[in-house]
Amino acid sequence: MPQPRRHRCGTLLLLLAGSSTAAASETLRGTLLVSHQAFVERLYISRRYERWFGGVAYLVLPGTAGRRRSHEATGATATVPSQDACDRYGVACFLARRGAGRDPYVAAYAQLFGQLATFSRRDEPPPWLRPHWRGTGGVTGAVVAHLDFWLDPPSFAHRVDAGALDLKRPWTLAAGLNRPPDDAVREFRVFGRYCLGGEALDVDREWTWGHDAKDQARRAWAASAPTRAKEPEACAAWADLFYLPSPIFADFAQLCGTQFKFHHEVSVPTALRFLEVEGRAPAPQF
């Protein structure tokens, strides 16, 4: 039975802390940054990422294009990009379609990585990205990030150049804050990504496991025709940031579009774990 895997949150802190004023690097020129939770009013800030990556694209969830949204804490409102706004500001946008019965994030990931997989085989970016792509050839990897926190691209490039991050392996966040679903627990705790199966999964109360995620993960795993795993697992993580190399775009898209179409903070890490166990992808870095 898999054991809990807990990790320090140093990687998360590194991503959020500005640390370099170095000139633009060529290290990430094959990498696409996919941002969501993006707003038109913040494009003048988020476009500063463009110099560090081969391209930046804004992922618009189904049914949200052009809508005003309010921040749950501050009440401030901002506008989700529409295709007209993307054209007007000269940025690449991927407007996802609705996916029946799916978490909207997972539906969008299935469509996005399916397209990236198709065109990476041709060593070219997809048509909607092509006018904005500064890399040479196709997309060799993609970072998906919520824009409710800031990234420090020089730290990515530095860690890749130093061998601390491998562009041929997936990355996920090492840890984040979570409050267990227990009335007696009031404080938030640092929660590190881990995968569980069997009794350990049944009794775990450190993650919220809402949306029937435990059972949905088990069913998805079993329905995906595993050949190596002895029992289904479920993993939990903050899916606010993850990176995929191009060789696993297609497999990840296929899982998100078929069986792993439940809550994204469980489906994304569980899909990556399934591909790892089945020998179809390397183990993620944290």
Side-chain angles (χ1 to χ4, degrees):
M1 180 176 63
Q3 297 299 313
R5 296 188 290 179
R6 300 187 182 277
H7 304 274
R8 295 176 296 176
C9 56
T11 302
L12 175 58
L13 296 177
L14 176 63
L15 296 177
L16 300 182
S19 64
S20 175
T21 57
S25 169
E26 294 300 311
T27 301
L28 301 174
R29 284 303 184 209
T31 302
L32 172 68
L33 173 63
V34 180
S35 302
H36 56 94
Q37 303 293 352
F39 298 106
V40 171
E41 291 82 354
R42 299 179 189 169
L43 288 177
Y44 76 98
I45 300 176
S46 58
R47 294 198 66 175
R48 297 183 183 185
Y49 291 135
E50 292 176 1
R51 66 190 287 251
W52 291 99
F53 297 91
V56 175
Y58 296 90
L59 176 62
V60 179
L61 295 180
T64 65
R67 292 189 177 182
R68 299 281 294 178
R69 298 188 64 180
S70 60
H71 191 280
E72 58 185 270
T74 66
T77 61
T79 311
V80 179
S82 63
Q83 188 61 62
D84 286 344
C86 296
D87 294 341
R88 184 166 65 253
Y89 288 99
V91 296
C93 291
F94 183 84
L95 277 67
R97 305 181 307 277
R98 292 190 182 277
R102 301 178 194 165
D103 177 289
Y105 293 93
V106 178
Y109 298 156
Q111 297 165 39
L112 171 69
F113 283 101
Q115 284 202 21
L116 292 179
T118 296
F119 285 91
S120 69
R121 297 189 193 103
R122 306 176 190 175
D123 196 29
E124 62 183 30
W128 53 269
L129 177 61
R130 200 168 296 150
H132 313 281
W133 183 243
R134 289 167 294 281
T136 56
V139 177
T140 59
V143 176
V144 176
H146 287 218
L147 272 188
D148 50 5
F149 60 87
W150 298 112
L151 304 176
D152 179 26
S155 71
F156 281 120
H158 173 74
R159 289 172 67 85
V160 170
D161 288 338
L165 284 174
D166 187 348
L167 290 173
K168 296 181 180 179
R169 293 175 60 183
W171 314 335
T172 65
L173 288 176
L177 292 176
N178 182 61
R179 188 170 67 186
D182 188 330
D183 291 339
V185 178
R186 297 298 181 186
E187 76 280 4
F188 283 83
R189 300 174 180 174
V190 174
F191 179 88
R193 174 196 184 275
Y194 67 103
C195 299
L196 295 170
E199 184 180 356
L201 177 60
D202 291 334
V203 301
D204 183 76
R205 298 278 296 171
E206 284 295 303
W207 187 255
T208 53
W209 298 113
H211 310 277
D212 194 30
K214 288 183 181 181
D215 287 339
Q216 290 201 57
R218 287 189 179 108
R219 290 194 296 268
W221 188 293
S224 298
T227 59
R228 298 186 182 183
K230 295 182 179 179
E231 65 178 356
E233 298 179 33
C235 309
W238 293 111
D240 291 9
L241 183 142
F242 62 93
Y243 166 83
L244 301 183
S246 59
I248 67 172
F249 285 172
D251 283 344
F252 182 77
Q254 188 270 333
L255 290 179
C256 289
T258 53
Q259 307 299 338
F260 286 74
K261 49 190 181 182
F262 47 95
H263 188 56
H264 60 285
E265 287 176 344
V266 177
S267 66
V268 168
T270 305
L272 293 177
R273 173 63 174 164
F274 180 85
L275 294 175
E276 174 194 348
V277 171
E278 291 298 301
R280 294 159 60 185
Q285 288 185 287
F286 305 97

